């Protein structure tokens, strides 16, 4: 364990634990793939850390997390890896599109496999369904969110 000190080990443990906590509970907050579900997770975490439900307490909690940790947690919250389809899906509603990336070597993505991943994740009806609106970006595929009516 050369080069590992107590601070590094604690930071690694914290990073692992917070990632697992978000992964284990992200499906609990409905509606999935929404800013509302993300806010519910943050409120749940704040309440479980002893914050009151008062606005000031929740804002202080969010500020204490800081942008770095909040960004990592949000990325984990809106990311899914589908190993059997060899795809990673990043579907943050704050972004203009959903990104689909291969888990393995970079190669053009098969639209059928992408559609299967979107269906499994409950995203098929939330993105532009027409593959001609999907944009190939190197190894990634960018799918615009479906426009709300």
């Amino acid at each position: 364990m050369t080069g590992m000190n107590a601070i590094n080990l604690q930071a690694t443990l914290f990073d692992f634990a917070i990632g697992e906590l978000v992964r284990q509970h992200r499906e609990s907050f409905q509606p999935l793939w929404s800013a509302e579900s993300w806010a519910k997770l943050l409120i749940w975490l704040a309440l479980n850390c002893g914050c009151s439900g008062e606005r000031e307490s929740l804002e202080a909690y969010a500020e204490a997390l800081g942008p770095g940790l909040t960004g990592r947690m949000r990325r984990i919250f809106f990311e899914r890896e589908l190993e059997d389809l060899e795809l990673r899906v990043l579907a943050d509603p704050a972004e203009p599109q959903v990104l689909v990336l291969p888990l393995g070597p970079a190669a053009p993505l098969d639209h059928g496999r992408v559609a299967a991943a979107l269906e499994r994740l409950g995203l098929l009806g939330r993105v532009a369904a027409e593959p001609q609106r999907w944009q190939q970006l190197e190894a990634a595929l960018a799918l615009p969110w479906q426009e709300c009516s």
Side-chain angles (χ1 to χ4, degrees):
M1 295 188 56
T2 307
M4 294 292 281
N5 62 34
I7 301 287
N8 289 342
L9 287 171
Q10 289 172 1
T12 301
L13 175 61
F14 174 80
D15 195 50
F16 168 76
I18 198 70
E20 285 303 306
L21 183 65
V22 171
R23 281 183 200 90
Q24 293 297 318
H25 293 282
R26 63 187 174 192
E27 302 289 326
S28 304
F29 302 99
Q30 303 291 323
L32 293 179
W33 312 110
S34 69
E36 182 182 343
S37 65
W38 169 244
K40 287 177 180 179
L41 172 82
L42 288 179
I43 292 167
W44 177 77
L45 289 170
L47 294 174
N48 280 288
C49 288
C51 295
S52 74
E54 300 296 319
R55 181 184 183 103
E56 298 81 25
S57 180
L58 296 175
E59 287 174 352
Y61 176 79
E63 187 176 321
L65 289 179
L69 178 57
T70 302
R72 283 197 311 273
M73 288 170 44
R74 186 176 180 104
R75 193 171 38 258
I76 292 167
F77 188 78
F78 288 115
E79 176 184 80
R80 302 295 188 277
E81 287 188 1
L82 304 168
E83 292 183 16
D84 61 321
L85 295 173
E86 297 181 354
L87 294 174
R88 174 178 296 163
V89 178
L90 306 164
D92 187 335
E95 297 296 330
Q97 70 252 336
V98 171
L99 293 177
V100 181
L101 303 106
L103 283 177
L109 297 174
D110 171 76
H111 288 185
R113 191 166 48 129
V114 171
L118 295 172
E119 183 174 6
R120 184 182 305 170
L121 295 173
L123 286 166
L124 195 56
R126 303 205 51 205
V127 298
E130 310 83 14
Q132 62 269 23
R133 292 191 53 207
W134 299 358
Q135 182 182 9
Q136 188 73 45
L137 305 170
E138 306 241 347
L141 195 58
L143 296 71
W145 289 101
Q146 191 175 65
E147 296 180 19
C148 299
S149 51

